């Protein structure tokens, strides 16, 4: 029987392949994993504690804040506060970037995260996620509110997600392949359960909120019509799967192939999803596995962000599927 490899052991082993590595990345990943374990513990007993339902507040995105959204955000902020490495924290739940006091002078990194992705699933015990992206700060950061921490996805140090489903898993990449860990809740440790994951070049699944179809461009409508046509030679019709949790849907696509789409709409071309803590880290994972992340007319990782909570349309998944979707979307939206 092969010996289980913990997340920490795995990162340290990977680090030995890079003599220039300082150990800082492994420290940050350990903190993210700790936050994930704490949130998993909360979710397991959510119905027993007074942590379901809304707080009565509305977040920076104009969405109702769920108690668990707030709690997950506080959990991540707390774990970074015990660090001297992460100086800037940007969260879906906080309007302004947050400076970690203990890292104000020493911190070399910015972490962007969506603490609890798929909030509409909270009260119905369905899948939830946490999505994270780590960036190295410029040598002399100009301070929060400045642009020094806003860099294109291509410059991420690491990106990934924790998925709270039937089991809790952590998936990350730092540019050396995609690795998957499963939480052993008995001993509170993540163990390697898949390394160097590669995804199929095309799949038979599409994930989209089809209730929005009347708001889509003609290109998007035509693409979905194309997926629904009957043509066994090309594996159509594709099957529709949509959980309302981006991390869960992208994880399905990573393992099974196919694509996830949250397009721009005619009256809202920027779409719904956030570049820095949804689209960019998930694209890092998917592209490391051989897929593509796109807006439909430009690649996600080349976008120069202008604001921390910037929205982008997202078409992400298997290479052949995304390339074909781009062909349908480009003529109109480009
Ligand atoms: P939250 O992070 O606010 O829970 O948003 C969920 C989400 O960004 C993503 O996880 C889903 O795929 C998408 O929104 C669902 O949006 P619709 O309800 O509009 O389909």
């Amino acid at each position: 029987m092969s010996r289980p490899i913990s997340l920490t052991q795995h990162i340290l082993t990977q680090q030995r392949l890079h003599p220039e590595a300082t150990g800082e990345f492994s420290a940050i990943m350990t903190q993210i994993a700790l936050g994930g374990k704490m949130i998993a513990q909360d979710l397991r007993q959510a119905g027993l504690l007074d942590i379901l339902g809304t707080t009565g507040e509305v977040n920076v995105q104009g969405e109702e804040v769920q108690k668990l959204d707030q709690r997950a955000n506080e959990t991540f902020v707390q774990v970074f506060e015990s660090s001297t490495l992460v100086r800037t924290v940007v969260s879906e739940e906080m309007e302004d970037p947050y400076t970690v006091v203990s890292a104000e002078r020493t911190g070399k990194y910015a972490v962007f995260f969506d603490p609890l992705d798929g909030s509409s699933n909270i009260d119905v015990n369905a899948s939830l996620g946490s999505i994270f992206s780590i960036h190295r700060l410029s040598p002399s950061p100009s301070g929060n509110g400045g642009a020094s921490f806003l860099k294109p996805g291509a410059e991420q140090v690491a990106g990934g997600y924790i998925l709270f489903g039937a089991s809790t898993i952590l998936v990350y990449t730092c540019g050396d392949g995609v690795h998957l860990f499963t939480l052993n809740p008995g001993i509170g440790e993540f163990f390697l359960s898949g390394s160097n994951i590669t995804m199929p070049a095309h799949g038979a699944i599409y994930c989209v909120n089809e209730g929005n179809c009347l708001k889509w461009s003609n290109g998007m409508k035509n693409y979905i019509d194309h997926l629904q046509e009957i043509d066994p030679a090309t594996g159509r019709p594709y099957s529709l799967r949509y959980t309302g949790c981006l991390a869960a849907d992208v994880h399905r696509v990573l393992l099974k192939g196919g694509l996830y789409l949250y397009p721009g709409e005619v009256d809202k071309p920027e779409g719904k999803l956030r570049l820095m803590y949804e689209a960019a880290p998930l694209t890092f994972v998917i592209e490391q596995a051989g897929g593509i992340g796109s807006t439909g007319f430009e690649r996600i990782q080349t976008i120069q962000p202008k604001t921390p909570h910037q929205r982008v349309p997202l078409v992400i998944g298997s290479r052949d599927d995304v390339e074909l979707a781009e062909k349908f979307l480009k003529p109109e939206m480009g």
Side-chain angles (χ1 to χ4, degrees):
M1 206 172 86
S2 62
R3 227 187 279 162
I5 301 169
S6 71
L7 175 65
T8 312
Q9 283 169 325
H10 177 83
I11 294 171
L12 291 174
T13 310
Q14 295 278 103
Q15 213 168 275
R16 275 183 221 119
L17 305 173
H18 298 274
E20 73 288 358
T22 57
E24 293 172 346
F25 169 69
S26 95
I28 297 172
M29 278 304 296
T30 304
Q31 289 174 314
I32 290 173
L34 173 63
K37 290 180 217 173
M38 292 164 76
I39 294 167
Q41 171 73 4
D42 278 347
L43 295 177
R44 266 198 298 273
Q45 31 183 1
L48 304 174
L49 309 173
D50 179 28
I51 51 177
L52 292 179
T54 63
T55 62
E57 292 159 33
V58 171
N59 71 9
V60 57
Q61 321 290 343
E63 297 153 356
E64 276 195 323
V65 178
Q66 304 281 328
K67 288 182 191 167
L68 267 165
D69 274 329
Q70 201 171 58
R71 197 168 162 111
N73 186 57
E74 285 166 7
T75 299
F76 277 117
V77 170
Q78 268 167 21
V79 295
F80 294 129
E81 266 174 338
S82 63
S83 145
T84 52
L85 293 170
V86 177
R87 178 179 183 274
T88 305
V89 171
V90 175
S91 162
E92 183 189 11
E93 299 303 328
M94 299 190 294
E95 185 153 8
D96 297 316
Y98 177 80
T99 301
V100 176
V101 178
S102 57
E104 206 166 353
R105 291 174 182 280
T106 48
K108 295 185 201 153
Y109 296 89
V111 177
F112 296 78
F113 61 92
D114 180 352
L116 209 54
D117 167 58
S119 312
S120 68
N121 287 353
I122 290 176
D123 290 345
V124 298
N125 198 26
S127 291
L128 292 157
S130 297
I131 308 174
F132 60 89
S133 165
I134 305 174
H135 278 267
R136 198 168 276 114
L137 288 165
S138 302
S140 40
S142 59
N144 286 342
S148 62
F149 63 98
L150 289 179
K151 299 180 183 180
E155 293 184 34
Q156 286 171 99
V157 174
Y161 52 91
I162 300 166
L163 185 57
F164 309 100
S167 52
T168 299
I169 61 163
L170 185 153
V171 175
Y172 88 93
T173 183
C174 56
D176 272 335
V178 176
H179 311 296
L180 190 161
F181 300 80
T182 303
L183 180 64
N184 178 331
I187 50 178
E189 182 59 277
F190 283 101
F191 289 101
L192 186 65
S193 45
S195 54
N196 294 311
I197 294 171
T198 54
M199 64 184 300
H202 61 88
I205 291 166
Y206 71 107
C207 311
V208 73
N209 183 344
E210 219 158 341
N212 290 330
C213 65
L214 296 182
K215 303 180 199 165
W216 293 341
S217 68
N218 288 334
M220 177 66 190
K221 286 178 189 160
N222 292 340
Y223 178 63
I224 298 300
D225 286 348
H226 171 81
L227 296 182
Q228 294 172 345
E229 276 166 18
I230 299 172
D231 180 23
T234 54
R236 292 177 290 152
Y238 278 26
S239 291
L240 171 64
R241 297 283 183 271
Y242 191 70
T243 65
C245 170
L246 174 66
D249 286 326
V250 168
H251 187 62
R252 179 195 296 278
V253 163
L254 172 71
L255 299 186
K256 305 285 185 196
L259 76 175
Y260 171 101
L261 308 100
Y262 210 112
E265 294 166 1
V266 173
D267 293 334
K268 198 180 170 198
E270 72 279 17
K272 175 183 182 189
L273 302 180
R274 281 51 63 115
L275 174 62
M276 299 304 287
Y277 42 84
E278 293 187 315
L282 294 177
T283 295
F284 197 8
V285 169
I286 287 290
E287 293 196 344
Q288 276 290 309
I292 295 175
S294 169
T295 62
F297 42 97
E298 80 181 299
R299 294 295 161 86
I300 293 290
Q301 300 305 54
T302 59
I303 299 173
Q304 173 62 54
K306 295 189 180 69
T307 60
H309 299 289
Q310 184 169 332
R311 295 177 192 267
V312 278
L314 183 63
V315 180
I316 186 169
S318 292
R319 193 187 59 231
D320 295 353
D321 290 313
V322 174
E323 281 176 352
L324 182 61
E326 286 177 330
K327 287 194 183 121
F328 275 85
L329 292 167
K330 261 179 186 160
E332 285 205 357
M333 309 276 288

